Amino acid sequence: MLGSGLALAVGAGFALVGPIAGTAQAADINVAKNPGFESGLADWSCSAGSGSAVSSPVRSGTSALRAAPGGQDNARCAQQVKVKPGSTYTLSAWVQGGYAYLGASGTGTTDVSTWTPDSTGWKQLSTRFTTGASTTTVTVYTHGWYGQSAYLVDDVSVFGPDGGGGTDPEPGVPATPAGLTAGATTTSSVALSWNAVSGATGYHVYRDGTKVQSVSGTSATVTGLAADTSYGFQVTAANTAGESARSATVTARTTKPGGQDPDPDPSVPRHALTGYWQNFDNGATVQKLRDVQAQYDIIAVSFADSTTTPGQIVFNLDPALRYSSVAEFKADIAAKKQAGKSVIISVGGEKGNVTINSDASATAFANSAYALMQEYGFSGVDIDLEHGINSTYLTKALRQLSAKAGPGMVLTMAPQTIDMQSTGTEYFKTALAVKDILTVVNMQYYNSGSMLGCDGKVYSQGSVDFLTALACIQLEGGLAPSQVGLGVPASTRGAGSGYVSPAVVNNALDCLTRGTGCGQFKPSKTYPGLRGAMTWSTNWDATAGNAWSNAVGPHVHNLP
């Protein structure tokens, strides 16, 4: 697909152009607005929600554009600039990542464009255009290429005579940073992160009222701390105009020395099998947790229950499982952890609806989820919310939970196929926002209609192509291979539609990791680090004689 489409684009007038030398007139200015994306996407519009302002990597300032093609969308981001008729302008931008295009249309003369293939570092694209005798506005744009990875843009310049729009005003003192959270801790360090501030060129970090660090991005790790000690942290934003007020204080405690955790969580293996365990009886085999098949590395206890307090969750052990006491259930969790398994609490499901749409509900979720981890010994949480999510507040909730639970927390997600069609969806945005603490996304390749693959073609569920072409969207959209798994039903009774045989699952795993066993879709590269597979559920697997785990489990564990 890429070869023929790209040849057509080049034949239509695209050309690689290096930086153009020349002396501008004294009156020339940059007529582009928000050229460094320091104000997010202000003055820019991106197709299909494909663009976002990111704090890393950036070429200068604190922000850059990241745009991700998806399906039949090439991630086009554009703005109209005011120009002077009959004038020449130099258009340039710095790009990085996937195939990146830069162009101008509506010039009134000859529209221009230039492009570059993938680049691992910042590269400047540049071209020139001349406006027509009556042209007062021109559209400048960037875009990527279908099926290719996301691209980054920074420092856009449309240099020429002022068309009446002037330049962006000088910056004022930036606003106070929001969203300061503490992340991973060690015996001597605390990781911090916060939201980007428009117009800021740097940030200062304070520990117990003393400035200890200055950074250009929106994260920092404060080192040189004492073990098992609580500290208060604040952050400010700064630029040439001055420094903002300090943020609200976030408290974090360093870990105890010598690995004093009395009940450590096991590490998730490189290639892992995930199974959902039903805390209810719906006709599938009723299991106690101790009976879950040994092939499963991550066991998601399904499900937590919501309360009348938004965001808050609790867990109620179903009497149908015939546990004699909650203590017996907790003992089963401890035994599974002793055997190297991660037992996590799943939030959501078909009928579960936990609302996290405010700071208060985010905190309620983090506090209650951590309380369940402490009470039952859960190693983390699974997000299986199927009734809509708010990425901003779910991200805050998960980061607060991570700060409490520490770096060993297991975090999994099970979005539906529609939730991961592009990086602009709330689920995909959440996954990317918590990428540094995310274990795996096991998308549900079932109960789904036909969907676009990363090559822009439509695939129907129930085939190896459906699994591989949709997984490619996540793999090329920003998730690491270790954060991608294939979620399928364990038997024909496990879901309304979308069941595939274990052989098809194994073929898809081989296609993605080894380049063998593919159908019509074959990815442009392999992903040996792919995490593995997931199934609903261990109970339906048992009902079918453990056929799924017996076939897929060993295959997952023997991936490259």
Side-chain angles (χ1 to χ4, degrees):
M1 283 296 292
L2 177 59
S4 60
L6 188 56
L8 177 63
V10 172
F14 287 84
L16 281 171
V17 179
I20 292 178
T23 303
Q25 299 299 312
D28 286 353
I29 62 171
N30 183 10
V31 298
K33 300 296 184 183
N34 189 23
F37 304 94
E38 306 303 326
S39 299
L41 295 184
D43 299 296
W44 294 88
S45 61
C46 296
S47 59
S50 56
S52 61
V54 296
S55 59
S56 178
V58 299
R59 180 179 175 270
S60 68
T62 60
S63 192
L65 167 69
R66 182 184 186 277
Q72 297 178 330
D73 176 66
N74 64 359
R76 186 179 190 270
C77 297
Q79 75 162 270
Q80 276 199 338
V81 298
K82 293 185 178 181
V83 294
K84 187 176 180 180
S87 302
T88 298
Y89 291 81
T90 299
L91 169 63
S92 68
W94 291 83
V95 298
Q96 182 183 145
Y99 283 69
Y101 295 74
L102 175 69
S105 61
T107 62
T109 57
T110 302
D111 292 350
V112 296
S113 57
T114 180
W115 69 282
T116 182
D118 293 4
S119 60
T120 56
W122 289 105
K123 179 187 295 184
Q124 190 179 35
L125 292 178
S126 188
T127 185
R128 274 198 184 126
F129 64 87
T130 299
T131 56
S134 59
T135 302
T136 58
T137 60
V138 169
T139 298
V140 296
Y141 62 86
T142 66
H143 68 74
W145 196 253
Y146 308 98
Q148 299 302 298
S149 57
Y151 67 95
L152 294 146
V153 182
D154 205 354
D155 299 329
V156 179
S157 176
V158 188
F159 208 61
D162 186 359
T167 59
D168 280 347
E170 289 297 316
V173 175
T176 302
L180 177 62
T181 57
T185 60
T186 70
T187 55
S188 61
S189 68
V190 172
L192 302 170
S193 63
W194 54 90
N195 299 337
V197 176
S198 175
T201 57
Y203 301 88
H204 302 309
V205 179
Y206 291 81
R207 184 196 69 213
D208 294 334
T210 301
K211 185 165 70 174
V212 293
Q213 200 169 348
S214 296
V215 296
S216 59
T218 56
S219 63
T221 299
V222 180
T223 59
L225 307 178
D228 195 22
T229 303
S230 181
Y231 294 92
F233 299 96
Q234 296 170 295
V235 64
T236 64
N239 60 18
T240 55
E243 182 181 5
S244 74
R246 297 180 190 179
S247 69
T249 300
V250 166
T251 301
R253 191 177 193 87
T254 52
T255 57
K256 296 179 180 179
Q260 297 178 17
D261 185 352
D263 187 19
D265 289 309
S267 298
V268 176
R270 171 179 169 85
H271 299 298
L273 200 70
T274 302
Y276 284 82
W277 175 82
Q278 297 177 188
N279 180 39
F280 51 86
D281 181 3
N282 65 345
T285 299
V286 173
Q287 292 179 314
K288 290 188 176 181
L289 203 61
R290 72 192 72 157
D291 301 322
V292 171
Q293 302 86 325
Q295 290 291 340
Y296 292 103
D297 304 291
I298 302 174
I299 304 168
V301 171
S302 310
F303 295 97
D305 297 312
S306 60
T307 73
T308 56
T309 300
Q312 187 180 66
I313 58 172
V314 295
F315 178 72
N316 298 297
L317 187 64
D318 194 319
L321 275 60
R322 298 189 291 275
Y323 271 102
S324 61
S325 64
V326 172
E328 183 189 0
F329 175 68
K330 293 178 180 178
D332 274 4
I333 294 177
K336 281 294 184 183
K337 291 173 66 176
Q338 187 66 33
K341 313 301 182 181
S342 296
V343 183
I344 61 178
I345 181 67
S346 183
V347 181
E350 179 185 0
K351 299 179 180 179
N353 188 13
V354 179
T355 302
I356 306 171
N357 59 4
S358 66
D359 286 325
S361 57
T363 298
F365 175 86
N367 289 342
S368 58
Y370 184 58
L372 292 180
M373 291 176 65
Q374 290 183 302
E375 180 181 357
Y376 289 91
F378 294 126
S379 300
V381 295
D382 168 70
I383 303 300
D384 186 19
L385 297 170
E386 300 179 5
H387 301 279
I389 64 172
N390 182 307
S391 62
T392 298
Y393 293 105
L394 180 54
T395 296
K396 289 185 176 183
L398 294 174
R399 289 212 169 274
Q400 288 182 45
L401 177 58
S402 174
K404 294 174 179 293
M409 185 184 82
V410 175
L411 172 58
T412 70
M413 296 183 179
Q416 301 170 99
T417 53
I418 191 66
D419 295 322
M420 301 297 284
Q421 280 280 277
S422 82
T423 55
T425 64
E426 292 298 289
Y427 243 112
F428 214 140
K429 287 194 292 186
T430 302
L432 293 176
V434 297
K435 182 177 177 180
D436 58 312
I437 59 172
L438 176 64
T439 307
V440 63
V441 174
N442 292 303
M443 189 174 75
Q444 302 176 40
Y445 293 78
Y446 51 94
N447 294 338
S448 165
S450 298
M451 292 287 160
L452 287 170
C454 68
D455 58 355
K457 293 183 179 180
V458 176
Y459 294 96
S460 299
Q461 67 177 357
S463 67
V464 67
D465 288 330
F466 188 72
L467 301 178
T468 55
L470 269 67
C472 175
I473 296 175
Q474 300 170 60
L475 291 163
E476 293 301 312
L479 294 181
S482 63
Q483 295 173 319
V484 177
L486 307 180
V488 296
S491 73
T492 55
R493 297 176 63 189
S497 63
Y499 172 78
V500 291
S501 69
V504 171
V505 180
N506 290 344
N507 283 342
L509 293 168
D510 286 342
C511 178
L512 293 169
T513 59
R514 298 184 171 99
T516 62
C518 302
Q520 292 185 345
F521 172 80
K522 187 169 184 177
S524 59
K525 61 182 179 181
T526 58
Y527 308 91
L530 192 81
R531 180 66 77 176
M534 170 275 281
T535 198
W536 177 269
S537 61
T538 64
N539 306 75
W540 285 117
D541 186 23
T543 304
N546 301 327
W548 193 89
S549 58
N550 285 342
V552 179
H555 201 85
V556 164
H557 296 138
N558 287 314
L559 289 173

